[in-house]
Amino acid sequence: MKDQFGRRIRYLRISVTDRCNLRCTYCMPEEGLAWIPKPEMLAYEEIAEIVRQMAALGLERVRITGGEPLVRKDLPDLVRMIAAVPGIDDISLSTNAILLPRFATALREAGVARVNVSLDTLDRDGFEEIARRPARRFDETMEGLRAAEEAGFAPIKINCVIMRGLNDHEVVDFAEITRERPWHVRFIELMPVGENLHLTDRFISTDEVLEKIRSIEDLLPDPGPRGNGPAVYYRFPGGAGTVGAITPLSHNYCERCNRMRLTADGKLRTCLFGDHEVDLKGPLRETGRIEGAVAEALAGKPKRHYLELGTAAGSGGLAALSQVGG
Ligand code: SAM
Ligand code: SF4
């Protein structure tokens, strides 16, 4: 699968649900969103069939995300189906970790190799403010991280969206973790989407975040862990893990984009932002085939996003990243 700019697409992020057990302030309104009705959602067998047909076109890697993917029932069943698809050599998961104590081992056995865990604060009160759910959920997140380590997921990446005045005072604490633990803590720039445009004054560039960390000790450039993403990595001298920067706004990396996204209701999106999406569910349910729709999506993959506009238009009218799998 190649797009019109010659970018080879081999990575699909699959959102298995738009629902979530948290309400991260940058991601989802406190009252939730208008959830996709259950009959509109792709069944696991349908998702696996899409992966099968795309793998025949060159897809190699899959990430399962959401919403919170672990709130969907029997997720290990889907993982097993995807793991059985010839050509798929990497399955990873993005999660807030709350349900990992229950599911980590089953997911690992089913074929998930790696997890990315969202963790925006190391503080229980900060968690209540950012995730807008009781602090016991923070304790569960930390238990989830332990469960991920025990289950043998590697590498473990932590995704941390940094917001001025909310958690930017914690960046050094986050970085310090990487001296002892083989975790890869990635600082993500806040992306403006429909529901959180009121947060734009919280934006802080990863350049500024890295400067704060460098004021403690120098950071050495590092190749970072294996993965699909656009993060740039650094390491404290002798550190067990790394610090990463994901910079959709300050340094756009669209020219290296290798991915597409599948929404929980079967839309193939070729860019995180923008309003172009092609329906796969209709052709799949009507004809059993999706190649034509995939080709149409590839042909329309835009050269880049225009997110820095900081407007609803810049994010293509997208209300929340939870709708498209982040
Ligand atoms: N619930 C899972 C989680 O939190 O990891 C998976 C879905 S979540 C939408 C995927 C990623 O998107 C998370 O790392 C989250 O922090 C990030 N994200 C969501 N909204 C964002 C925003 N407006 N700006 C930057 N990152 C965002
Ligand atoms: Fe849920 Fe993840 Fe969005 Fe937080 S970032 S509200 S955990 S989907």
mmCIF file of all heavy atoms in Angstrom, residues 43-78:
data_model
loop_
_atom_site.group_PDB
_atom_site.id
_atom_site.type_symbol
_atom_site.label_atom_id
_atom_site.label_comp_id
_atom_site.label_asym_id
_atom_site.label_seq_id
_atom_site.Cartn_x
_atom_site.Cartn_y
_atom_site.Cartn_z
ATOM 1 N N ALA A 43 -17.852 -5.976 14.370
ATOM 2 C CA ALA A 43 -17.638 -7.171 15.186
ATOM 3 C C ALA A 43 -16.166 -7.564 15.086
ATOM 4 O O ALA A 43 -15.481 -7.178 14.126
ATOM 5 C CB ALA A 43 -18.527 -8.298 14.673
ATOM 6 N N TYR A 44 -15.688 -8.346 16.043
ATOM 7 C CA TYR A 44 -14.283 -8.771 16.004
ATOM 8 C C TYR A 44 -13.974 -9.505 14.699
ATOM 9 O O TYR A 44 -12.911 -9.321 14.104
ATOM 10 C CB TYR A 44 -13.954 -9.677 17.190
ATOM 11 C CG TYR A 44 -13.783 -8.925 18.511
ATOM 12 C CD1 TYR A 44 -13.822 -9.612 19.727
ATOM 13 C CD2 TYR A 44 -13.567 -7.547 18.533
ATOM 14 C CE1 TYR A 44 -13.661 -8.945 20.920
ATOM 15 C CE2 TYR A 44 -13.419 -6.879 19.729
ATOM 16 C CZ TYR A 44 -13.459 -7.574 20.934
ATOM 17 O OH TYR A 44 -13.298 -6.917 22.115
ATOM 18 N N GLU A 45 -14.900 -10.354 14.261
ATOM 19 C CA GLU A 45 -14.644 -11.109 13.022
ATOM 20 C C GLU A 45 -14.499 -10.143 11.836
ATOM 21 O O GLU A 45 -13.681 -10.372 10.934
ATOM 22 C CB GLU A 45 -15.765 -12.136 12.798
ATOM 23 C CG GLU A 45 -15.555 -13.064 11.614
ATOM 24 C CD GLU A 45 -14.116 -13.596 11.457
ATOM 25 O OE1 GLU A 45 -13.586 -14.238 12.385
ATOM 26 O OE2 GLU A 45 -13.525 -13.332 10.390
ATOM 27 N N GLU A 46 -15.276 -9.055 11.863
ATOM 28 C CA GLU A 46 -15.177 -8.069 10.774
ATOM 29 C C GLU A 46 -13.825 -7.337 10.826
ATOM 30 O O GLU A 46 -13.192 -7.108 9.794
ATOM 31 C CB GLU A 46 -16.328 -7.064 10.859
ATOM 32 C CG GLU A 46 -17.680 -7.689 10.511
ATOM 33 C CD GLU A 46 -18.845 -6.720 10.687
ATOM 34 O OE1 GLU A 46 -18.882 -5.990 11.711
ATOM 35 O OE2 GLU A 46 -19.732 -6.714 9.835
ATOM 36 N N ILE A 47 -13.399 -6.988 12.023
ATOM 37 C CA ILE A 47 -12.090 -6.327 12.146
ATOM 38 C C ILE A 47 -10.999 -7.261 11.631
ATOM 39 O O ILE A 47 -10.125 -6.869 10.852
ATOM 40 C CB ILE A 47 -11.805 -5.935 13.621
ATOM 41 C CG1 ILE A 47 -12.818 -4.890 14.102
ATOM 42 C CG2 ILE A 47 -10.370 -5.419 13.769
ATOM 43 C CD1 ILE A 47 -12.691 -4.524 15.577
ATOM 44 N N ALA A 48 -11.084 -8.522 12.041
ATOM 45 C CA ALA A 48 -10.054 -9.488 11.609
ATOM 46 C C ALA A 48 -10.065 -9.643 10.086
ATOM 47 O O ALA A 48 -9.005 -9.759 9.462
ATOM 48 C CB ALA A 48 -10.289 -10.834 12.301
ATOM 49 N N GLU A 49 -11.247 -9.618 9.487
ATOM 50 C CA GLU A 49 -11.327 -9.755 8.020
ATOM 51 C C GLU A 49 -10.691 -8.539 7.327
ATOM 52 O O GLU A 49 -9.995 -8.674 6.318
ATOM 53 C CB GLU A 49 -12.797 -9.934 7.599
ATOM 54 C CG GLU A 49 -13.006 -10.108 6.100
ATOM 55 C CD GLU A 49 -12.216 -11.278 5.491
ATOM 56 O OE1 GLU A 49 -11.880 -12.248 6.208
ATOM 57 O OE2 GLU A 49 -11.923 -11.208 4.275
ATOM 58 N N ILE A 50 -10.922 -7.351 7.896
ATOM 59 C CA ILE A 50 -10.295 -6.147 7.329
ATOM 60 C C ILE A 50 -8.769 -6.282 7.425
ATOM 61 O O ILE A 50 -8.045 -5.989 6.471
ATOM 62 C CB ILE A 50 -10.811 -4.887 8.068
ATOM 63 C CG1 ILE A 50 -12.259 -4.610 7.636
ATOM 64 C CG2 ILE A 50 -9.910 -3.679 7.792
ATOM 65 C CD1 ILE A 50 -12.963 -3.514 8.427
ATOM 66 N N VAL A 51 -8.297 -6.745 8.569
ATOM 67 C CA VAL A 51 -6.843 -6.915 8.732
ATOM 68 C C VAL A 51 -6.329 -7.949 7.725
ATOM 69 O O VAL A 51 -5.288 -7.739 7.091
ATOM 70 C CB VAL A 51 -6.498 -7.321 10.190
ATOM 71 C CG1 VAL A 51 -5.026 -7.720 10.311
ATOM 72 C CG2 VAL A 51 -6.825 -6.173 11.145
ATOM 73 N N ARG A 52 -7.073 -9.034 7.541
ATOM 74 C CA ARG A 52 -6.647 -10.075 6.588
ATOM 75 C C ARG A 52 -6.486 -9.485 5.182
ATOM 76 O O ARG A 52 -5.467 -9.669 4.531
ATOM 77 C CB ARG A 52 -7.713 -11.186 6.531
ATOM 78 C CG ARG A 52 -7.303 -12.459 7.207
ATOM 79 C CD ARG A 52 -8.457 -13.463 7.230
ATOM 80 N NE ARG A 52 -8.830 -13.745 8.618
ATOM 81 C CZ ARG A 52 -10.056 -13.702 9.116
ATOM 82 N NH1 ARG A 52 -11.086 -13.421 8.341
ATOM 83 N NH2 ARG A 52 -10.258 -13.955 10.387
ATOM 84 N N GLN A 53 -7.512 -8.731 4.758
ATOM 85 C CA GLN A 53 -7.458 -8.189 3.390
ATOM 86 C C GLN A 53 -6.387 -7.106 3.266
ATOM 87 O O GLN A 53 -5.720 -7.003 2.238
ATOM 88 C CB GLN A 53 -8.836 -7.653 2.978
ATOM 89 C CG GLN A 53 -9.853 -8.790 2.828
ATOM 90 C CD GLN A 53 -11.168 -8.334 2.200
ATOM 91 O OE1 GLN A 53 -11.191 -7.462 1.341
ATOM 92 N NE2 GLN A 53 -12.268 -8.947 2.630
ATOM 93 N N MET A 54 -6.184 -6.333 4.315
ATOM 94 C CA MET A 54 -5.140 -5.302 4.237
ATOM 95 C C MET A 54 -3.750 -5.920 4.333
ATOM 96 O O MET A 54 -2.791 -5.416 3.737
ATOM 97 C CB MET A 54 -5.357 -4.228 5.307
ATOM 98 C CG MET A 54 -6.556 -3.344 4.956
ATOM 99 S SD MET A 54 -6.891 -2.026 6.132
ATOM 100 C CE MET A 54 -5.509 -0.955 5.874
ATOM 101 N N ALA A 55 -3.621 -7.017 5.072
ATOM 102 C CA ALA A 55 -2.315 -7.682 5.166
ATOM 103 C C ALA A 55 -1.902 -8.198 3.781
ATOM 104 O O ALA A 55 -0.723 -8.157 3.416
ATOM 105 C CB ALA A 55 -2.367 -8.821 6.176
ATOM 106 N N ALA A 56 -2.887 -8.633 3.010
ATOM 107 C CA ALA A 56 -2.570 -9.103 1.652
ATOM 108 C C ALA A 56 -2.081 -7.941 0.779
ATOM 109 O O ALA A 56 -1.413 -8.152 -0.229
ATOM 110 C CB ALA A 56 -3.803 -9.751 1.034
ATOM 111 N N LEU A 57 -2.395 -6.713 1.210
ATOM 112 C CA LEU A 57 -1.951 -5.527 0.455
ATOM 113 C C LEU A 57 -0.665 -4.926 1.038
ATOM 114 O O LEU A 57 -0.192 -3.902 0.551
ATOM 115 C CB LEU A 57 -3.053 -4.460 0.476
ATOM 116 C CG LEU A 57 -4.401 -4.852 -0.144
ATOM 117 C CD1 LEU A 57 -5.462 -3.801 0.162
ATOM 118 C CD2 LEU A 57 -4.249 -5.017 -1.662
ATOM 119 N N GLY A 58 -0.163 -5.506 2.121
ATOM 120 C CA GLY A 58 1.108 -5.019 2.657
ATOM 121 C C GLY A 58 1.084 -4.575 4.110
ATOM 122 O O GLY A 58 2.104 -4.135 4.636
ATOM 123 N N LEU A 59 -0.068 -4.682 4.761
ATOM 124 C CA LEU A 59 -0.110 -4.304 6.180
ATOM 125 C C LEU A 59 0.718 -5.289 7.014
ATOM 126 O O LEU A 59 0.632 -6.497 6.800
ATOM 127 C CB LEU A 59 -1.573 -4.325 6.662
ATOM 128 C CG LEU A 59 -1.787 -3.889 8.109
ATOM 129 C CD1 LEU A 59 -1.526 -2.395 8.251
ATOM 130 C CD2 LEU A 59 -3.207 -4.215 8.570
ATOM 131 N N GLU A 60 1.523 -4.739 7.947
ATOM 132 C CA GLU A 60 2.388 -5.605 8.755
ATOM 133 C C GLU A 60 2.171 -5.448 10.253
ATOM 134 O O GLU A 60 2.408 -6.361 11.025
ATOM 135 C CB GLU A 60 3.865 -5.282 8.453
ATOM 136 C CG GLU A 60 4.269 -5.621 7.039
ATOM 137 C CD GLU A 60 5.615 -5.029 6.658
ATOM 138 O OE1 GLU A 60 6.227 -4.303 7.476
ATOM 139 O OE2 GLU A 60 6.051 -5.272 5.515
ATOM 140 N N ARG A 61 1.737 -4.247 10.666
ATOM 141 C CA ARG A 61 1.691 -3.971 12.100
ATOM 142 C C ARG A 61 0.349 -3.392 12.494
ATOM 143 O O ARG A 61 -0.231 -2.600 11.740
ATOM 144 C CB ARG A 61 2.763 -2.962 12.469
ATOM 145 C CG ARG A 61 4.128 -3.489 12.164
ATOM 146 C CD ARG A 61 5.145 -2.406 12.297
ATOM 147 N NE ARG A 61 6.446 -2.955 12.028
ATOM 148 C CZ ARG A 61 7.574 -2.292 12.217
ATOM 149 N NH1 ARG A 61 7.536 -1.051 12.656
ATOM 150 N NH2 ARG A 61 8.718 -2.863 11.955
ATOM 151 N N VAL A 62 -0.087 -3.764 13.677
ATOM 152 C CA VAL A 62 -1.400 -3.348 14.146
ATOM 153 C C VAL A 62 -1.279 -2.845 15.582
ATOM 154 O O VAL A 62 -0.561 -3.439 16.382
ATOM 155 C CB VAL A 62 -2.367 -4.561 14.097
ATOM 156 C CG1 VAL A 62 -3.580 -4.331 14.948
ATOM 157 C CG2 VAL A 62 -2.769 -4.859 12.653
ATOM 158 N N ARG A 63 -1.946 -1.744 15.882
ATOM 159 C CA ARG A 63 -2.078 -1.300 17.269
ATOM 160 C C ARG A 63 -3.550 -1.253 17.625
ATOM 161 O O ARG A 63 -4.353 -0.703 16.873
ATOM 162 C CB ARG A 63 -1.448 0.084 17.485
ATOM 163 C CG ARG A 63 -1.738 0.645 18.878
ATOM 164 C CD ARG A 63 -0.954 1.917 19.162
ATOM 165 N NE ARG A 63 0.474 1.655 19.166
ATOM 166 C CZ ARG A 63 1.146 1.189 20.212
ATOM 167 N NH1 ARG A 63 0.526 0.942 21.346
ATOM 168 N NH2 ARG A 63 2.438 0.979 20.132
ATOM 169 N N ILE A 64 -3.880 -1.808 18.769
ATOM 170 C CA ILE A 64 -5.268 -1.789 19.233
ATOM 171 C C ILE A 64 -5.416 -0.639 20.220
ATOM 172 O O ILE A 64 -4.621 -0.495 21.161
ATOM 173 C CB ILE A 64 -5.623 -3.143 19.878
ATOM 174 C CG1 ILE A 64 -5.572 -4.207 18.787
ATOM 175 C CG2 ILE A 64 -7.002 -3.096 20.510
ATOM 176 C CD1 ILE A 64 -5.692 -5.615 19.287
ATOM 177 N N THR A 65 -6.423 0.204 19.973
ATOM 178 C CA THR A 65 -6.576 1.397 20.792
ATOM 179 C C THR A 65 -8.063 1.702 20.941
ATOM 180 O O THR A 65 -8.912 0.860 20.702
ATOM 181 C CB THR A 65 -5.735 2.547 20.169
ATOM 182 O OG1 THR A 65 -5.943 3.733 20.916
ATOM 183 C CG2 THR A 65 -6.048 2.812 18.716
ATOM 184 N N GLY A 66 -8.372 2.936 21.349
ATOM 185 C CA GLY A 66 -9.772 3.296 21.538
ATOM 186 C C GLY A 66 -9.912 4.807 21.559
ATOM 187 O O GLY A 66 -9.060 5.506 21.001
ATOM 188 N N GLY A 67 -10.840 5.244 22.308
ATOM 189 C CA GLY A 67 -11.425 4.920 23.599
ATOM 190 C C GLY A 67 -10.477 4.031 24.406
ATOM 191 O O GLY A 67 -9.301 3.969 24.117
ATOM 192 N N GLU A 68 -11.030 3.405 25.404
ATOM 193 C CA GLU A 68 -10.195 2.486 26.178
ATOM 194 C C GLU A 68 -10.467 1.065 25.679
ATOM 195 O O GLU A 68 -11.554 0.521 25.927
ATOM 196 C CB GLU A 68 -10.498 2.638 27.676
ATOM 197 C CG GLU A 68 -9.812 1.623 28.555
ATOM 198 C CD GLU A 68 -8.321 1.446 28.228
ATOM 199 O OE1 GLU A 68 -7.619 2.440 28.008
ATOM 200 O OE2 GLU A 68 -7.873 0.271 28.184
ATOM 201 N N PRO A 69 -9.504 0.474 24.987
ATOM 202 C CA PRO A 69 -9.775 -0.819 24.346
ATOM 203 C C PRO A 69 -10.178 -1.916 25.328
ATOM 204 O O PRO A 69 -10.949 -2.806 24.974
ATOM 205 C CB PRO A 69 -8.454 -1.163 23.640
ATOM 206 C CG PRO A 69 -7.431 -0.262 24.229
ATOM 207 C CD PRO A 69 -8.137 0.953 24.709
ATOM 208 N N LEU A 70 -9.676 -1.819 26.574
ATOM 209 C CA LEU A 70 -9.956 -2.920 27.508
ATOM 210 C C LEU A 70 -11.376 -2.882 28.064
ATOM 211 O O LEU A 70 -11.790 -3.824 28.734
ATOM 212 C CB LEU A 70 -8.941 -2.922 28.650
ATOM 213 C CG LEU A 70 -7.498 -3.178 28.215
ATOM 214 C CD1 LEU A 70 -6.576 -3.264 29.412
ATOM 215 C CD2 LEU A 70 -7.396 -4.451 27.402
ATOM 216 N N VAL A 71 -12.131 -1.815 27.789
ATOM 217 C CA VAL A 71 -13.535 -1.853 28.239
ATOM 218 C C VAL A 71 -14.392 -2.666 27.267
ATOM 219 O O VAL A 71 -15.542 -2.968 27.562
ATOM 220 C CB VAL A 71 -14.171 -0.447 28.472
ATOM 221 C CG1 VAL A 71 -13.377 0.362 29.485
ATOM 222 C CG2 VAL A 71 -14.362 0.320 27.170
ATOM 223 N N ARG A 72 -13.833 -3.008 26.104
ATOM 224 C CA ARG A 72 -14.608 -3.881 25.207
ATOM 225 C C ARG A 72 -14.374 -5.337 25.605
ATOM 226 O O ARG A 72 -13.245 -5.762 25.846
ATOM 227 C CB ARG A 72 -14.224 -3.645 23.742
ATOM 228 C CG ARG A 72 -15.110 -4.468 22.830
ATOM 229 C CD ARG A 72 -15.275 -3.887 21.469
ATOM 230 N NE ARG A 72 -15.968 -4.863 20.626
ATOM 231 C CZ ARG A 72 -16.121 -4.756 19.329
ATOM 232 N NH1 ARG A 72 -15.655 -3.688 18.703
ATOM 233 N NH2 ARG A 72 -16.751 -5.681 18.634
ATOM 234 N N LYS A 73 -15.484 -6.085 25.621
ATOM 235 C CA LYS A 73 -15.456 -7.470 26.114
ATOM 236 C C LYS A 73 -14.546 -8.366 25.280
ATOM 237 O O LYS A 73 -14.480 -8.215 24.060
ATOM 238 C CB LYS A 73 -16.883 -8.042 26.040
ATOM 239 C CG LYS A 73 -17.474 -8.347 27.399
ATOM 240 C CD LYS A 73 -18.889 -8.861 27.248
ATOM 241 C CE LYS A 73 -18.927 -10.343 27.520
ATOM 242 N NZ LYS A 73 -19.962 -11.039 26.797
ATOM 243 N N ASP A 74 -13.898 -9.281 25.945
ATOM 244 C CA ASP A 74 -13.168 -10.380 25.284
ATOM 245 C C ASP A 74 -12.112 -9.914 24.288
ATOM 246 O O ASP A 74 -11.932 -10.529 23.226
ATOM 247 C CB ASP A 74 -14.163 -11.321 24.550
ATOM 248 C CG ASP A 74 -15.184 -11.908 25.505
ATOM 249 O OD1 ASP A 74 -14.818 -12.168 26.669
ATOM 250 O OD2 ASP A 74 -16.345 -12.090 25.094
ATOM 251 N N LEU A 75 -11.399 -8.855 24.624
ATOM 252 C CA LEU A 75 -10.395 -8.334 23.688
ATOM 253 C C LEU A 75 -9.335 -9.382 23.290
ATOM 254 O O LEU A 75 -8.908 -9.403 22.130
ATOM 255 C CB LEU A 75 -9.728 -7.081 24.273
ATOM 256 C CG LEU A 75 -8.891 -6.302 23.278
ATOM 257 C CD1 LEU A 75 -9.759 -5.715 22.162
ATOM 258 C CD2 LEU A 75 -8.127 -5.184 23.979
ATOM 259 N N PRO A 76 -8.919 -10.269 24.215
ATOM 260 C CA PRO A 76 -7.927 -11.269 23.791
ATOM 261 C C PRO A 76 -8.404 -12.105 22.602
ATOM 262 O O PRO A 76 -7.587 -12.551 21.790
ATOM 263 C CB PRO A 76 -7.731 -12.132 25.051
ATOM 264 C CG PRO A 76 -8.029 -11.180 26.182
ATOM 265 C CD PRO A 76 -9.164 -10.316 25.677
ATOM 266 N N ASP A 77 -9.719 -12.276 22.451
ATOM 267 C CA ASP A 77 -10.225 -13.039 21.292
ATOM 268 C C ASP A 77 -9.839 -12.341 19.988
ATOM 269 O O ASP A 77 -9.408 -12.980 19.027
ATOM 270 C CB ASP A 77 -11.762 -13.164 21.341
ATOM 271 C CG ASP A 77 -12.224 -14.072 22.465
ATOM 272 O OD1 ASP A 77 -11.357 -14.754 23.053
ATOM 273 O OD2 ASP A 77 -13.434 -14.080 22.756
ATOM 274 N N LEU A 78 -10.006 -11.011 19.973
ATOM 275 C CA LEU A 78 -9.639 -10.261 18.763
ATOM 276 C C LEU A 78 -8.140 -10.375 18.502
ATOM 277 O O LEU A 78 -7.698 -10.563 17.361
ATOM 278 C CB LEU A 78 -10.038 -8.784 18.900
ATOM 279 C CG LEU A 78 -9.554 -7.905 17.739
ATOM 280 C CD1 LEU A 78 -10.267 -8.266 16.440
ATOM 281 C CD2 LEU A 78 -9.741 -6.418 18.051
#
